[in-house]
Amino acid sequence: MSTINEFLSLKDFTSIVFDNNKVDVSDAVINRVEESFNFLKEFSGNKVIYGVNTGFGPMAQYRIKDEDRLQLQYNLIRSHSSGTGKPLSPIYVKSAILARLNTLSLGNSGVHPSLIHLMKEFINRDITPLIFEHGGVGASGDLVQLAHLALTLIGEGEVFYKGERRSTKEVFEIEGLQPINVEIREGLALMNGTSVMTGIGIVNVYNAEKVLDWSVKISCAINELVQAYDDHLSEELNGVKHHFGQQEIARKMRNHLADSSLVRKREDHLYSGDNTEDVFKEKVQEYYSLRCVPQILGPVLDTINGVAKVLENEINSANDNPIIDVKNKHVYHGGNFHGDYISLEMDKLKIVVAKLTMLAERQLNYLLNSKINEILPPFVNLGTLGFNFGMQGVQFTAVSTTAESQTLSNPMYVHSIPNNNDNQDIVSMGTNAAVMAGKVVENAFEVLAIELITVVQAIDALGFKNEVSSTTKSIYDEVRKIVPEFKEDMVMYPFVQKVKDYLMA
């Protein structure tokens, strides 16, 4: 059980989303939410407060009659439930609900406590609102996507429940739940915010960390296969480049390869003084995709860490408008809903993961091209050359998937299109950026799955099964449970999918 209180760490957040830990809300949270609600109700009595007694966006110049205030919130929710495209995955939606729950729990939004209670029940009972990929421009936050969340919280719309898409009303009857009490600004407070892009972003970071870990491990295995020299991983060499990520990746690789009998020391060969050839048989240096792994994956690690910090800050921030300040007895109008922080970080994330994917594709090409590696049969074909095809077919998939990620990695952050009668004249496109980043991360798993199958085939081709490091051997054994050694051609797509699932688990 994880409790929403003062600060929700990214670690606790992901334990709820991925490990199915139940979420609880402390009494302190309920008290401050209720205090905020009561203050706003009293404070707004004879003042002009945006979204309480005014219209929305460019229509804020119109006063709303007191008797129409509650209907105003329903009108906002229903009119903006206008998303299209594919439904967001359940894990994205669960993450988004938790992000919204946490920010509304800060007591800066003036919402009714029933909202906090019902969102908690959605998470704990695995009720997934139907939210679509397309809709929000990330300026007043995730207006359209969060409207779909709000729609289910008022008992309307649709949800996914026990694997089925059903009406929210039906599921509420089954679970004995009641819609929220819409009082002052429940619609606006739910919809004005960055919680969908942030929730998706946290899932993306969680998966990107896995992708990076696998990329390091596979890169180590390839260095073993070619019996590379270990000085490019040395603490001495990487220590003179003052970047944490590079030094950490090199350290991880040294640890992985510590008990390998294949990786060589330069002093035992090229520094021995016994080599008098004019054309060296021993390779003096490896290709960049093998030798420069710390320099390539180091920035990936540093970027993932930086993105994670921004996301943690965002889930613990008040990101709607206006902001209710109970302590100073004031209501502040501004733009905390704007998604530029998240949009930029999602662009950074997809750029570095696309680069990681490019590294994997080049390493794969190295293994498949016998003219380059000079140690393996073409396409790591363990069957009859010319008659069998080995890994030839799946290379096309890896290349096309990598190309897609390269295009998707172009930034959304700079693609602002004014809308909303030019009230939203510069926007973040943060949700688009987050969805695209998720696709790039998933693509990386697909390319790594193909690369890993090729690696284990190469280990068998070279007879190195008992010479690789213990970590590589453990991975080899796990993959061989999924993909037996093969010489004859077989349908590859089920095996690629199963290895991808293994990498993502």
mmCIF file of all heavy atoms in Angstrom, residues 273-314:
data_model
loop_
_atom_site.group_PDB
_atom_site.id
_atom_site.type_symbol
_atom_site.label_atom_id
_atom_site.label_comp_id
_atom_site.label_asym_id
_atom_site.label_seq_id
_atom_site.Cartn_x
_atom_site.Cartn_y
_atom_site.Cartn_z
ATOM 1 N N GLY A 273 55.235 -6.593 -28.199
ATOM 2 C CA GLY A 273 56.502 -6.433 -28.913
ATOM 3 C C GLY A 273 56.812 -7.559 -29.866
ATOM 4 O O GLY A 273 57.821 -7.541 -30.570
ATOM 5 N N ASP A 274 55.944 -8.583 -29.925
ATOM 6 C CA ASP A 274 56.195 -9.741 -30.790
ATOM 7 C C ASP A 274 55.615 -9.546 -32.195
ATOM 8 O O ASP A 274 55.860 -10.361 -33.073
ATOM 9 C CB ASP A 274 55.586 -10.999 -30.160
ATOM 10 C CG ASP A 274 56.257 -11.340 -28.839
ATOM 11 O OD1 ASP A 274 57.437 -10.978 -28.679
ATOM 12 O OD2 ASP A 274 55.588 -11.939 -27.972
ATOM 13 N N ASN A 275 54.839 -8.515 -32.386
ATOM 14 C CA ASN A 275 54.157 -8.313 -33.662
ATOM 15 C C ASN A 275 55.022 -7.450 -34.581
ATOM 16 O O ASN A 275 55.237 -6.271 -34.337
ATOM 17 C CB ASN A 275 52.797 -7.631 -33.426
ATOM 18 C CG ASN A 275 51.905 -7.723 -34.643
ATOM 19 O OD1 ASN A 275 52.371 -7.579 -35.758
ATOM 20 N ND2 ASN A 275 50.623 -7.973 -34.405
ATOM 21 N N THR A 276 55.557 -8.065 -35.648
ATOM 22 C CA THR A 276 56.456 -7.349 -36.574
ATOM 23 C C THR A 276 55.872 -7.251 -37.982
ATOM 24 O O THR A 276 56.581 -6.901 -38.920
ATOM 25 C CB THR A 276 57.807 -8.077 -36.639
ATOM 26 O OG1 THR A 276 57.599 -9.420 -37.089
ATOM 27 C CG2 THR A 276 58.495 -8.073 -35.280
ATOM 28 N N GLU A 277 54.561 -7.534 -38.112
ATOM 29 C CA GLU A 277 53.935 -7.528 -39.436
ATOM 30 C C GLU A 277 53.773 -6.104 -39.963
ATOM 31 O O GLU A 277 53.636 -5.144 -39.199
ATOM 32 C CB GLU A 277 52.548 -8.188 -39.351
ATOM 33 C CG GLU A 277 52.588 -9.643 -38.881
ATOM 34 C CD GLU A 277 51.267 -10.071 -38.251
ATOM 35 O OE1 GLU A 277 50.729 -9.274 -37.459
ATOM 36 O OE2 GLU A 277 50.806 -11.176 -38.553
ATOM 37 N N ASP A 278 53.788 -5.970 -41.275
ATOM 38 C CA ASP A 278 53.488 -4.692 -41.905
ATOM 39 C C ASP A 278 51.981 -4.464 -41.998
ATOM 40 O O ASP A 278 51.507 -3.330 -41.946
ATOM 41 C CB ASP A 278 54.100 -4.634 -43.307
ATOM 42 C CG ASP A 278 55.625 -4.575 -43.257
ATOM 43 O OD1 ASP A 278 56.157 -4.026 -42.272
ATOM 44 O OD2 ASP A 278 56.260 -5.097 -44.190
ATOM 45 N N VAL A 279 51.225 -5.543 -42.167
ATOM 46 C CA VAL A 279 49.762 -5.477 -42.162
ATOM 47 C C VAL A 279 49.306 -6.352 -41.001
ATOM 48 O O VAL A 279 49.510 -7.568 -41.005
ATOM 49 C CB VAL A 279 49.161 -5.982 -43.484
ATOM 50 C CG1 VAL A 279 47.632 -5.929 -43.421
ATOM 51 C CG2 VAL A 279 49.672 -5.157 -44.654
ATOM 52 N N PHE A 280 48.679 -5.741 -40.035
ATOM 53 C CA PHE A 280 48.380 -6.454 -38.787
ATOM 54 C C PHE A 280 47.182 -7.382 -38.939
ATOM 55 O O PHE A 280 46.128 -6.986 -39.446
ATOM 56 C CB PHE A 280 48.103 -5.452 -37.659
ATOM 57 C CG PHE A 280 49.231 -4.475 -37.453
ATOM 58 C CD1 PHE A 280 49.043 -3.118 -37.648
ATOM 59 C CD2 PHE A 280 50.483 -4.921 -37.067
ATOM 60 C CE1 PHE A 280 50.070 -2.224 -37.467
ATOM 61 C CE2 PHE A 280 51.520 -4.032 -36.881
ATOM 62 C CZ PHE A 280 51.329 -2.680 -37.084
ATOM 63 N N LYS A 281 47.373 -8.619 -38.504
ATOM 64 C CA LYS A 281 46.268 -9.571 -38.494
ATOM 65 C C LYS A 281 45.287 -9.230 -37.370
ATOM 66 O O LYS A 281 44.079 -9.394 -37.508
ATOM 67 C CB LYS A 281 46.805 -10.995 -38.309
ATOM 68 C CG LYS A 281 47.635 -11.485 -39.493
ATOM 69 C CD LYS A 281 48.173 -12.881 -39.229
ATOM 70 C CE LYS A 281 49.041 -13.365 -40.388
ATOM 71 N NZ LYS A 281 49.625 -14.702 -40.113
ATOM 72 N N GLU A 282 45.851 -8.792 -36.251
ATOM 73 C CA GLU A 282 45.010 -8.405 -35.117
ATOM 74 C C GLU A 282 44.370 -7.042 -35.395
ATOM 75 O O GLU A 282 45.043 -6.123 -35.863
ATOM 76 C CB GLU A 282 45.855 -8.297 -33.832
ATOM 77 C CG GLU A 282 46.507 -9.595 -33.395
ATOM 78 C CD GLU A 282 45.512 -10.564 -32.783
ATOM 79 O OE1 GLU A 282 44.382 -10.131 -32.497
ATOM 80 O OE2 GLU A 282 45.853 -11.750 -32.613
ATOM 81 N N LYS A 283 43.060 -6.922 -35.103
ATOM 82 C CA LYS A 283 42.386 -5.645 -35.303
ATOM 83 C C LYS A 283 42.863 -4.666 -34.241
ATOM 84 O O LYS A 283 42.804 -4.951 -33.039
ATOM 85 C CB LYS A 283 40.870 -5.845 -35.203
ATOM 86 C CG LYS A 283 40.067 -4.830 -35.970
ATOM 87 C CD LYS A 283 38.622 -5.267 -36.058
ATOM 88 C CE LYS A 283 37.823 -4.441 -37.032
ATOM 89 N NZ LYS A 283 38.350 -4.388 -38.388
ATOM 90 N N VAL A 284 43.367 -3.524 -34.652
ATOM 91 C CA VAL A 284 43.913 -2.553 -33.697
ATOM 92 C C VAL A 284 42.795 -1.906 -32.886
ATOM 93 O O VAL A 284 42.921 -1.717 -31.679
ATOM 94 C CB VAL A 284 44.729 -1.472 -34.448
ATOM 95 C CG1 VAL A 284 45.224 -0.404 -33.473
ATOM 96 C CG2 VAL A 284 45.907 -2.122 -35.166
ATOM 97 N N GLN A 285 41.697 -1.561 -33.549
ATOM 98 C CA GLN A 285 40.548 -0.967 -32.861
ATOM 99 C C GLN A 285 39.272 -1.480 -33.512
ATOM 100 O O GLN A 285 39.234 -1.709 -34.719
ATOM 101 C CB GLN A 285 40.560 0.563 -32.960
ATOM 102 C CG GLN A 285 41.726 1.226 -32.247
ATOM 103 C CD GLN A 285 41.578 2.735 -32.231
ATOM 104 O OE1 GLN A 285 41.488 3.332 -31.175
ATOM 105 N NE2 GLN A 285 41.549 3.351 -33.400
ATOM 106 N N GLU A 286 38.221 -1.607 -32.679
ATOM 107 C CA GLU A 286 36.946 -2.101 -33.186
ATOM 108 C C GLU A 286 36.138 -0.969 -33.827
ATOM 109 O O GLU A 286 36.420 0.215 -33.625
ATOM 110 C CB GLU A 286 36.134 -2.724 -32.035
ATOM 111 C CG GLU A 286 36.816 -3.884 -31.339
ATOM 112 C CD GLU A 286 37.128 -5.048 -32.266
ATOM 113 O OE1 GLU A 286 36.451 -5.163 -33.307
ATOM 114 O OE2 GLU A 286 38.037 -5.831 -31.952
ATOM 115 N N TYR A 287 35.097 -1.362 -34.567
ATOM 116 C CA TYR A 287 34.163 -0.384 -35.108
ATOM 117 C C TYR A 287 33.539 0.431 -33.974
ATOM 118 O O TYR A 287 33.437 -0.019 -32.840
ATOM 119 C CB TYR A 287 33.072 -1.092 -35.914
ATOM 120 C CG TYR A 287 33.510 -1.540 -37.294
ATOM 121 C CD1 TYR A 287 34.183 -2.745 -37.475
ATOM 122 C CD2 TYR A 287 33.246 -0.749 -38.410
ATOM 123 C CE1 TYR A 287 34.588 -3.151 -38.746
ATOM 124 C CE2 TYR A 287 33.649 -1.148 -39.682
ATOM 125 C CZ TYR A 287 34.320 -2.346 -39.844
ATOM 126 O OH TYR A 287 34.720 -2.737 -41.092
ATOM 127 N N TYR A 288 33.080 1.631 -34.306
ATOM 128 C CA TYR A 288 32.538 2.532 -33.278
ATOM 129 C C TYR A 288 31.367 1.917 -32.516
ATOM 130 O O TYR A 288 31.190 2.176 -31.327
ATOM 131 C CB TYR A 288 32.080 3.842 -33.919
ATOM 132 C CG TYR A 288 33.201 4.778 -34.305
ATOM 133 C CD1 TYR A 288 34.519 4.352 -34.400
ATOM 134 C CD2 TYR A 288 32.929 6.111 -34.584
ATOM 135 C CE1 TYR A 288 35.535 5.215 -34.762
ATOM 136 C CE2 TYR A 288 33.935 6.992 -34.950
ATOM 137 C CZ TYR A 288 35.242 6.536 -35.044
ATOM 138 O OH TYR A 288 36.236 7.404 -35.399
ATOM 139 N N SER A 289 30.540 1.123 -33.212
ATOM 140 C CA SER A 289 29.364 0.558 -32.552
ATOM 141 C C SER A 289 29.737 -0.426 -31.450
ATOM 142 O O SER A 289 28.902 -0.768 -30.609
ATOM 143 C CB SER A 289 28.448 -0.128 -33.564
ATOM 144 O OG SER A 289 29.121 -1.195 -34.214
ATOM 145 N N LEU A 290 30.982 -0.883 -31.441
ATOM 146 C CA LEU A 290 31.475 -1.757 -30.383
ATOM 147 C C LEU A 290 32.348 -0.993 -29.389
ATOM 148 O O LEU A 290 32.280 -1.222 -28.187
ATOM 149 C CB LEU A 290 32.271 -2.928 -30.974
ATOM 150 C CG LEU A 290 31.474 -4.109 -31.541
ATOM 151 C CD1 LEU A 290 30.710 -3.709 -32.794
ATOM 152 C CD2 LEU A 290 32.376 -5.285 -31.832
ATOM 153 N N ARG A 291 33.175 -0.089 -29.920
ATOM 154 C CA ARG A 291 34.192 0.574 -29.102
ATOM 155 C C ARG A 291 33.656 1.804 -28.366
ATOM 156 O O ARG A 291 34.161 2.158 -27.293
ATOM 157 C CB ARG A 291 35.357 0.974 -30.008
ATOM 158 C CG ARG A 291 36.460 1.716 -29.313
ATOM 159 C CD ARG A 291 37.741 1.913 -30.112
ATOM 160 N NE ARG A 291 37.583 2.000 -31.544
ATOM 161 C CZ ARG A 291 37.924 3.069 -32.273
ATOM 162 N NH1 ARG A 291 38.396 4.159 -31.688
ATOM 163 N NH2 ARG A 291 37.792 3.061 -33.588
ATOM 164 N N CYS A 292 32.660 2.475 -28.928
ATOM 165 C CA CYS A 292 32.201 3.753 -28.376
ATOM 166 C C CYS A 292 30.893 3.628 -27.592
ATOM 167 O O CYS A 292 30.161 4.612 -27.442
ATOM 168 C CB CYS A 292 32.032 4.772 -29.498
ATOM 169 S SG CYS A 292 33.550 5.135 -30.402
ATOM 170 N N VAL A 293 30.590 2.446 -27.092
ATOM 171 C CA VAL A 293 29.329 2.247 -26.377
ATOM 172 C C VAL A 293 29.185 3.189 -25.180
ATOM 173 O O VAL A 293 28.128 3.810 -25.006
ATOM 174 C CB VAL A 293 29.164 0.772 -25.962
ATOM 175 C CG1 VAL A 293 27.933 0.589 -25.073
ATOM 176 C CG2 VAL A 293 29.058 -0.121 -27.200
ATOM 177 N N PRO A 294 30.213 3.364 -24.314
ATOM 178 C CA PRO A 294 30.038 4.310 -23.199
ATOM 179 C C PRO A 294 29.769 5.735 -23.665
ATOM 180 O O PRO A 294 28.980 6.463 -23.039
ATOM 181 C CB PRO A 294 31.369 4.210 -22.448
ATOM 182 C CG PRO A 294 31.919 2.873 -22.805
ATOM 183 C CD PRO A 294 31.509 2.658 -24.229
ATOM 184 N N GLN A 295 30.412 6.136 -24.747
ATOM 185 C CA GLN A 295 30.222 7.491 -25.248
ATOM 186 C C GLN A 295 28.856 7.678 -25.908
ATOM 187 O O GLN A 295 28.319 8.795 -25.920
ATOM 188 C CB GLN A 295 31.329 7.838 -26.256
ATOM 189 C CG GLN A 295 32.719 7.961 -25.644
ATOM 190 C CD GLN A 295 33.422 6.613 -25.468
ATOM 191 O OE1 GLN A 295 32.866 5.558 -25.776
ATOM 192 N NE2 GLN A 295 34.640 6.651 -24.950
ATOM 193 N N ILE A 296 28.286 6.601 -26.438
ATOM 194 C CA ILE A 296 26.978 6.680 -27.093
ATOM 195 C C ILE A 296 25.842 6.497 -26.091
ATOM 196 O O ILE A 296 24.854 7.245 -26.114
ATOM 197 C CB ILE A 296 26.882 5.626 -28.221
ATOM 198 C CG1 ILE A 296 27.899 5.941 -29.325
ATOM 199 C CG2 ILE A 296 25.461 5.579 -28.807
ATOM 200 C CD1 ILE A 296 28.074 4.834 -30.348
ATOM 201 N N LEU A 297 25.966 5.524 -25.207
ATOM 202 C CA LEU A 297 24.896 5.256 -24.244
ATOM 203 C C LEU A 297 24.996 6.132 -23.000
ATOM 204 O O LEU A 297 24.006 6.265 -22.262
ATOM 205 C CB LEU A 297 24.894 3.772 -23.856
ATOM 206 C CG LEU A 297 24.572 2.782 -24.979
ATOM 207 C CD1 LEU A 297 24.499 1.364 -24.429
ATOM 208 C CD2 LEU A 297 23.275 3.146 -25.690
ATOM 209 N N GLY A 298 26.151 6.728 -22.760
ATOM 210 C CA GLY A 298 26.290 7.646 -21.628
ATOM 211 C C GLY A 298 25.298 8.792 -21.682
ATOM 212 O O GLY A 298 24.584 9.060 -20.697
ATOM 213 N N PRO A 299 25.201 9.509 -22.801
ATOM 214 C CA PRO A 299 24.201 10.573 -22.897
ATOM 215 C C PRO A 299 22.771 10.071 -22.765
ATOM 216 O O PRO A 299 21.894 10.797 -22.303
ATOM 217 C CB PRO A 299 24.442 11.155 -24.299
ATOM 218 C CG PRO A 299 25.842 10.784 -24.646
ATOM 219 C CD PRO A 299 26.088 9.464 -23.974
ATOM 220 N N VAL A 300 22.524 8.828 -23.181
ATOM 221 C CA VAL A 300 21.192 8.239 -23.024
ATOM 222 C C VAL A 300 20.865 8.121 -21.533
ATOM 223 O O VAL A 300 19.779 8.514 -21.085
ATOM 224 C CB VAL A 300 21.108 6.865 -23.712
ATOM 225 C CG1 VAL A 300 19.716 6.261 -23.531
ATOM 226 C CG2 VAL A 300 21.453 6.975 -25.192
ATOM 227 N N LEU A 301 21.809 7.608 -20.766
ATOM 228 C CA LEU A 301 21.599 7.473 -19.318
ATOM 229 C C LEU A 301 21.399 8.829 -18.661
ATOM 230 O O LEU A 301 20.468 9.014 -17.865
ATOM 231 C CB LEU A 301 22.794 6.751 -18.688
ATOM 232 C CG LEU A 301 22.788 6.645 -17.150
ATOM 233 C CD1 LEU A 301 21.536 5.923 -16.656
ATOM 234 C CD2 LEU A 301 24.049 5.938 -16.668
ATOM 235 N N ASP A 302 22.243 9.783 -18.979
ATOM 236 C CA ASP A 302 22.125 11.114 -18.375
ATOM 237 C C ASP A 302 20.779 11.747 -18.723
ATOM 238 O O ASP A 302 20.147 12.399 -17.879
ATOM 239 C CB ASP A 302 23.265 12.016 -18.855
ATOM 240 C CG ASP A 302 24.598 11.693 -18.179
ATOM 241 O OD1 ASP A 302 24.579 11.138 -17.063
ATOM 242 O OD2 ASP A 302 25.644 12.004 -18.765
ATOM 243 N N THR A 303 20.335 11.566 -19.953
ATOM 244 C CA THR A 303 19.059 12.147 -20.372
ATOM 245 C C THR A 303 17.890 11.489 -19.662
ATOM 246 O O THR A 303 16.972 12.178 -19.186
ATOM 247 C CB THR A 303 18.888 12.016 -21.899
ATOM 248 O OG1 THR A 303 19.971 12.699 -22.547
ATOM 249 C CG2 THR A 303 17.569 12.624 -22.355
ATOM 250 N N ILE A 304 17.896 10.168 -19.570
ATOM 251 C CA ILE A 304 16.822 9.463 -18.859
ATOM 252 C C ILE A 304 16.738 9.944 -17.415
ATOM 253 O O ILE A 304 15.641 10.201 -16.894
ATOM 254 C CB ILE A 304 17.035 7.940 -18.919
ATOM 255 C CG1 ILE A 304 16.813 7.420 -20.340
ATOM 256 C CG2 ILE A 304 16.103 7.212 -17.947
ATOM 257 C CD1 ILE A 304 17.155 5.955 -20.532
ATOM 258 N N ASN A 305 17.869 10.090 -16.763
ATOM 259 C CA ASN A 305 17.876 10.575 -15.380
ATOM 260 C C ASN A 305 17.301 11.980 -15.281
ATOM 261 O O ASN A 305 16.547 12.305 -14.352
ATOM 262 C CB ASN A 305 19.294 10.552 -14.814
ATOM 263 C CG ASN A 305 19.799 9.147 -14.547
ATOM 264 O OD1 ASN A 305 19.012 8.201 -14.454
ATOM 265 N ND2 ASN A 305 21.103 8.988 -14.430
ATOM 266 N N GLY A 306 17.664 12.825 -16.235
ATOM 267 C CA GLY A 306 17.147 14.191 -16.227
ATOM 268 C C GLY A 306 15.656 14.245 -16.479
ATOM 269 O O GLY A 306 14.921 15.004 -15.826
ATOM 270 N N VAL A 307 15.170 13.444 -17.411
ATOM 271 C CA VAL A 307 13.740 13.376 -17.705
ATOM 272 C C VAL A 307 12.978 12.901 -16.475
ATOM 273 O O VAL A 307 11.929 13.452 -16.119
ATOM 274 C CB VAL A 307 13.474 12.447 -18.903
ATOM 275 C CG1 VAL A 307 11.969 12.236 -19.104
ATOM 276 C CG2 VAL A 307 14.085 13.016 -20.178
ATOM 277 N N ALA A 308 13.499 11.885 -15.808
ATOM 278 C CA ALA A 308 12.840 11.327 -14.618
ATOM 279 C C ALA A 308 12.668 12.395 -13.541
ATOM 280 O O ALA A 308 11.616 12.472 -12.878
ATOM 281 C CB ALA A 308 13.637 10.148 -14.074
ATOM 282 N N LYS A 309 13.675 13.248 -13.353
ATOM 283 C CA LYS A 309 13.603 14.288 -12.336
ATOM 284 C C LYS A 309 12.519 15.306 -12.670
ATOM 285 O O LYS A 309 11.756 15.732 -11.791
ATOM 286 C CB LYS A 309 14.970 14.982 -12.215
ATOM 287 C CG LYS A 309 15.002 16.073 -11.140
ATOM 288 C CD LYS A 309 14.676 15.511 -9.765
ATOM 289 C CE LYS A 309 14.735 16.580 -8.692
ATOM 290 N NZ LYS A 309 14.273 16.057 -7.369
ATOM 291 N N VAL A 310 12.427 15.701 -13.933
ATOM 292 C CA VAL A 310 11.395 16.653 -14.334
ATOM 293 C C VAL A 310 10.002 16.055 -14.122
ATOM 294 O O VAL A 310 9.090 16.734 -13.626
ATOM 295 C CB VAL A 310 11.587 17.081 -15.804
ATOM 296 C CG1 VAL A 310 10.393 17.895 -16.294
ATOM 297 C CG2 VAL A 310 12.866 17.893 -15.963
ATOM 298 N N LEU A 311 9.829 14.792 -14.462
ATOM 299 C CA LEU A 311 8.536 14.132 -14.287
ATOM 300 C C LEU A 311 8.160 14.039 -12.820
ATOM 301 O O LEU A 311 6.993 14.239 -12.445
ATOM 302 C CB LEU A 311 8.570 12.740 -14.919
ATOM 303 C CG LEU A 311 8.654 12.703 -16.444
ATOM 304 C CD1 LEU A 311 8.936 11.288 -16.927
ATOM 305 C CD2 LEU A 311 7.391 13.235 -17.082
ATOM 306 N N GLU A 312 9.117 13.719 -11.970
ATOM 307 C CA GLU A 312 8.842 13.657 -10.538
ATOM 308 C C GLU A 312 8.425 15.023 -10.010
ATOM 309 O O GLU A 312 7.502 15.131 -9.187
ATOM 310 C CB GLU A 312 10.074 13.140 -9.782
ATOM 311 C CG GLU A 312 9.814 12.881 -8.302
ATOM 312 C CD GLU A 312 11.000 12.238 -7.618
ATOM 313 O OE1 GLU A 312 12.047 12.937 -7.487
ATOM 314 O OE2 GLU A 312 10.915 11.064 -7.221
ATOM 315 N N ASN A 313 9.095 16.073 -10.485
ATOM 316 C CA ASN A 313 8.697 17.426 -10.091
ATOM 317 C C ASN A 313 7.265 17.725 -10.530
ATOM 318 O O ASN A 313 6.488 18.352 -9.793
ATOM 319 C CB ASN A 313 9.646 18.463 -10.704
ATOM 320 C CG ASN A 313 11.002 18.490 -10.032
ATOM 321 O OD1 ASN A 313 11.162 18.018 -8.905
ATOM 322 N ND2 ASN A 313 11.999 19.029 -10.714
ATOM 323 N N GLU A 314 6.905 17.281 -11.739
ATOM 324 C CA GLU A 314 5.596 17.618 -12.294
ATOM 325 C C GLU A 314 4.459 16.932 -11.544
ATOM 326 O O GLU A 314 3.417 17.558 -11.297
ATOM 327 C CB GLU A 314 5.545 17.250 -13.776
ATOM 328 C CG GLU A 314 4.332 17.794 -14.507
ATOM 329 C CD GLU A 314 4.368 19.298 -14.727
ATOM 330 O OE1 GLU A 314 5.467 19.894 -14.632
ATOM 331 O OE2 GLU A 314 3.304 19.889 -15.000
#
